[in-house]
């Protein structure tokens, strides 16, 4: 029997709080003891990656308490409930099925009289068949010419995840002769966004993918109209160039304005939707369906690994538990995501939405206020760029910010140069290693301006290189980490009511139904 409890009602909660200040990172990471921790505090991940948490403020006793918390809180059982089709999204009374898009881990899930796994597979096959026909020249523009570019029109989860994945594999695909079409993305309702993308593409040879589950998203429909005007101005029939990714009940589903429609459903939230047709259509067009399938295979490996009840063998679960310790016991507000891979340049932005939209909640899954802090603020940029930007605060600021590094032994492309005795990739790896130790151990100096206190916790995910399977595994690792943290805090990680109020007020402003300060602000912009 699953019991959904607030974190502070658990029997283990006092032990959990008693972990505060238990481990001195400076001492723990110094000398041979530090070398031993690096060797021992490492958890295998999917696709040969490792999660190393040596520079976190935990020890074996801490891990025992975190294991006790995971067991008492039934975190794996709750994950199994989710996989089995339980109503985990209590706010909207919905199932949560993004993992089902990439593997049948717990049998069939029937909802609304439909086998949902069959539904997701059928839509992925439809996307694959369509992409193959486009690549083969069986589906062309009105002049019988091949499409060369695909542009996704969407916002939030319809943009951030697919964009991050595309950028992560774009150069890999070019190197491996797997880039079938270039991809672009329009998200912001700011007209400069759409205009810039339209100026960068050959409109008569471009497919535009409108992504909106409801078919009513204001920003997306506005940008769609912007694009339709551009197509008409180019002498092109928009219905020959536009696709829809939407729900079967939306206004877009059966419209003759689209060359083809692909379907998603209410059981996959936007920030989790890269595994659905939201990602399948654009990524299959860009890279080919077989590459999208490889991404999903890596994600499925991560999903399976996340079922292990032993936190010392379950990277996503351990990552979540250590994050909860840092948030609830040590009181750290933020987490910095720092990929030492330029290909992951938009991955921190995707994780901002994934984490903050999921667990930025102050009531539990039953609508009751919680008496403890929940999700952290997520931010980040790729290294080494970030080192010359905000790392100053991370090293010497008054607030301690835990860090999540991601690094790879080898580059994606294979091009490199040896300068001053080492390659660019070795310099990149040397920097991430140096940063972990600098943050952990710091440096004494008579000059206070040059002294580093150290004690700044970090973990690192290490892989051989970034390729489709390892990217999928990384994506799913963070999705599962966020899911587990939602279970720990007893919040609903799968609704996002916080985005709705602003939308409603914006509609009032545009309808001139305003008064007070809302009207005064609108008047500043001559609305």
């Amino acid at each position: 029997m699953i019991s959904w409890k607030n974190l502070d009602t658990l029997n283990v909660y006092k032990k959990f709080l008693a972990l505060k200040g238990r481990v001195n990172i400076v001492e723990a990471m110094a000398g041979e003891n530090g070398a031993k921790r690096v060797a021992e505090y490492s958890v295998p991940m999917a696709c040969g990656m490792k999660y190393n948490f040596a520079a976190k403020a935990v020890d074996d006793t801490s891990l025992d308490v975190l294991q006790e918390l995971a067991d008492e809180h039934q975190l794996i059982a709750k994950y199994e409930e989710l996989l089995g089709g339980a109503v985990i999204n209590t706010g909207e009374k919905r199932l949560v099925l993004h993992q089902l898009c990439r593997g049948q881990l717990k049998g069939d899930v029937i909802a609304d009289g439909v086998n949902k796994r069959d539904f997701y597979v059928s839509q992925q096959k439809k996307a694959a068949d369509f992409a193959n026909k486009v690549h083969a020249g069986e589906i062309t523009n009105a002049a019988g010419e091949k499409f060369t570019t695909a542009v996704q029109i969407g916002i939030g989860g319809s943009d951030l995840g697919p964009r991050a994945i595309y950028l992560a594999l774009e150069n890999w695909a070019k190197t491996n002769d797997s880039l079938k079409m270039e991809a672009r993305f329009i998200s912001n309702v700011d007209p400069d966004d759409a205009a810039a993308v339209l100026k960068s593409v050959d409109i008569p040879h471009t497919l535009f993918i409108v992504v909106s589950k409801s078919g009513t998203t204001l920003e997306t429909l506005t940008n769609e109209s912007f694009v339709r005007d551009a197509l008409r101005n180019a002498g092109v029939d928009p219905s020959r160039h536009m696709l829809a990714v939407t729900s079967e009940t939306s206004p877009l589903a059966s419209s003759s304005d689209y060359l083809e429609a692909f379907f998603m459903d209410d059981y996959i939230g936007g920030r989790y939707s890269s595994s659905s047709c939201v990602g399948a259509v654009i990524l299959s067009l860009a890279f080919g369906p077989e590459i999208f399938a490889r991404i999903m295979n890596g994600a499925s490996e991560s999903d399976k690994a996340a079922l292990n009840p032993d936190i010392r063998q379950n990277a996503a679960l351990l990552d979540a538990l250590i994050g909860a310790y840092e948030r609830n016991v040590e009181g750290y507000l933020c987490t910095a995501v720092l990929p030492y891979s330029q290909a992951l340049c938009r991955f921190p932005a995707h994780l901002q939405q994934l984490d903050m939209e999921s667990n930025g909640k102050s009531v539990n899954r039953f609508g009751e206020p919680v008496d403890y802090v929940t999700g952290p603020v997520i931010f980040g940029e790729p290294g080494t760029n970030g080192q010359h930007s905000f790392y100053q605060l991370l090293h010497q600021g008054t607030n301690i910010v835990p860090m999540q590094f991601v690094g790879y032994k080898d580059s994606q492309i294979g091009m490199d140069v040896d300068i001053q005795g080492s390659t660019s990739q070795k310099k990149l790896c040397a920097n991430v290693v140096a940063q972990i130790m600098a943050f952990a151990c710091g440096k004494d100096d008579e000059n206070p301006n040059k002294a580093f206190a150290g004690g700044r916790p970090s973990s690192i995910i290490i892989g051989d290189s970034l390729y489709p399977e390892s990217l999928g595994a990384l994506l799913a690792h963070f999705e599962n980490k966020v899911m587990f943290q939602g279970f720990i805090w007893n919040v609903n990680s799968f609704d996002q009511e916080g985005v709705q109020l602003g939308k409603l007020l914006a509609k009032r402003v545009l309808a001139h139904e305003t008064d007070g300060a809302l009207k005064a602000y609108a008047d500043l912009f001559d609305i």
Side-chain angles (χ1 to χ4, degrees), residues 21-35 37 54-58 395 400 436-444 452-458:
R22 174 179 175 80
V23 176
N24 182 308
I25 296 176
V26 177
E27 295 175 359
M29 290 299 290
E32 287 305 310
N33 188 47
R37 284 176 65 92
K56 290 290 192 180
V58 297
H395 276 293
I400 292 179
I436 291 170
M437 289 305 295
F439 282 121
C441 295
K443 180 178 75 74
D444 293 330
F452 295 77
R456 312 285 167 133
S458 71

Side-chain angles (χ1 to χ4, degrees), residues 204-523:
H205 297 90
T206 301
L207 282 169
F208 295 89
I209 307 160
V210 180
V211 184
S212 173
K213 185 187 298 182
S214 66
T216 61
T217 309
L218 178 63
E219 296 95 333
T220 300
L221 296 185
T222 301
N223 280 327
E224 179 189 5
S225 296
F226 197 109
V227 168
R228 286 187 181 276
D229 284 347
L231 287 164
R232 293 188 192 98
N233 291 338
V236 171
D237 177 3
S239 68
R240 296 287 300 270
H241 288 254
M242 302 201 82
L243 312 173
V245 177
T246 190
S247 67
E248 291 178 292
T249 57
S250 93
L252 312 184
S254 57
S255 172
S256 60
D257 290 337
Y258 302 98
L259 182 62
E260 187 59 270
F262 307 88
F263 299 124
M264 51 177 161
D265 61 29
D266 288 333
Y267 303 126
I268 299 177
R271 56 201 174 276
Y272 300 95
S273 65
S274 293
S275 301
S276 74
C277 276
V278 173
V281 176
I282 183 71
L283 297 172
S284 294
L285 285 169
F287 303 131
E290 64 283 355
I291 300 302
F292 179 73
R294 288 177 60 184
I295 299 169
M296 293 299 98
N297 289 340
S300 182
E301 277 195 50
S302 264
D303 292 339
K304 292 173 186 173
L307 283 165
N308 195 319
D310 182 355
I311 69 169
R312 291 170 169 85
Q313 298 296 318
N314 186 333
L317 180 56
L318 180 57
D319 199 0
L321 288 160
I322 291 175
Y325 158 75
E326 290 174 335
R327 189 77 183 99
N328 295 98
V329 178
E330 297 294 348
Y332 301 143
L333 172 63
C334 303
T335 297
V337 179
L338 309 169
Y340 273 64
S341 167
Q342 186 59 30
L344 294 175
C345 61
R346 290 296 291 171
F347 206 69
H350 165 61
L351 294 185
Q352 274 186 333
Q353 186 201 17
L354 174 66
D355 202 312
M356 295 170 71
E357 195 168 271
S358 295
N359 291 336
K361 311 289 172 63
S362 56
V363 298
N364 68 13
R365 53 191 290 104
F366 307 114
E368 303 159 344
V370 294
D371 294 326
Y372 44 82
V373 295
T374 57
V377 174
I378 303 294
F379 70 96
E381 284 288 331
T384 57
N385 295 30
Q387 293 176 201
H388 297 268
S389 175
F390 54 83
Y391 278 33
Q392 169 61 43
L393 184 146
L394 302 185
H395 276 293
Q396 294 181 305
T398 54
N399 291 307
I400 292 179
V401 178
M403 290 155 284
Q404 173 70 75
F405 291 99
V406 181
Y408 300 93
K409 298 175 185 178
D410 298 315
S411 65
Q412 280 187 316
I413 302 174
M415 292 177 60
D416 209 340
V417 61
D418 195 311
I419 297 177
Q420 297 179 353
S422 63
T423 64
S424 298
Q425 183 66 24
K426 292 298 182 186
K427 290 179 174 67
L428 180 69
C429 295
N431 270 276
V432 70
V433 168
Q435 290 296 327
I436 291 170
M437 289 305 295
F439 282 121
C441 295
K443 180 178 75 74
D444 293 330
D445 199 291
E446 292 181 0
N447 181 345
N449 199 48
K450 295 183 179 182
F452 295 77
R456 312 285 167 133
S458 71
S459 60
I460 183 167
I461 293 172
I462 304 171
D464 290 332
S465 65
L466 184 61
Y467 55 93
E469 287 86 352
S470 65
L471 176 62
L474 188 70
L475 177 80
H477 169 87
F478 283 104
E479 289 180 351
N480 293 327
K481 171 189 174 180
V482 167
M483 171 195 70
F484 282 129
Q485 286 189 328
F487 293 162
I488 292 168
W489 292 317
N490 200 29
V491 300
N492 180 8
S493 301
F494 305 106
D495 67 3
Q496 53 284 327
E497 293 301 328
V499 306
Q500 301 303 324
L501 178 57
K503 289 182 179 180
L504 295 173
L505 291 178
K507 288 180 179 179
R508 282 179 51 190
V509 171
L510 293 171
H512 303 289
E513 298 172 354
T514 57
D515 55 19
L518 186 62
K519 182 179 187 305
Y521 275 119
D523 288 346

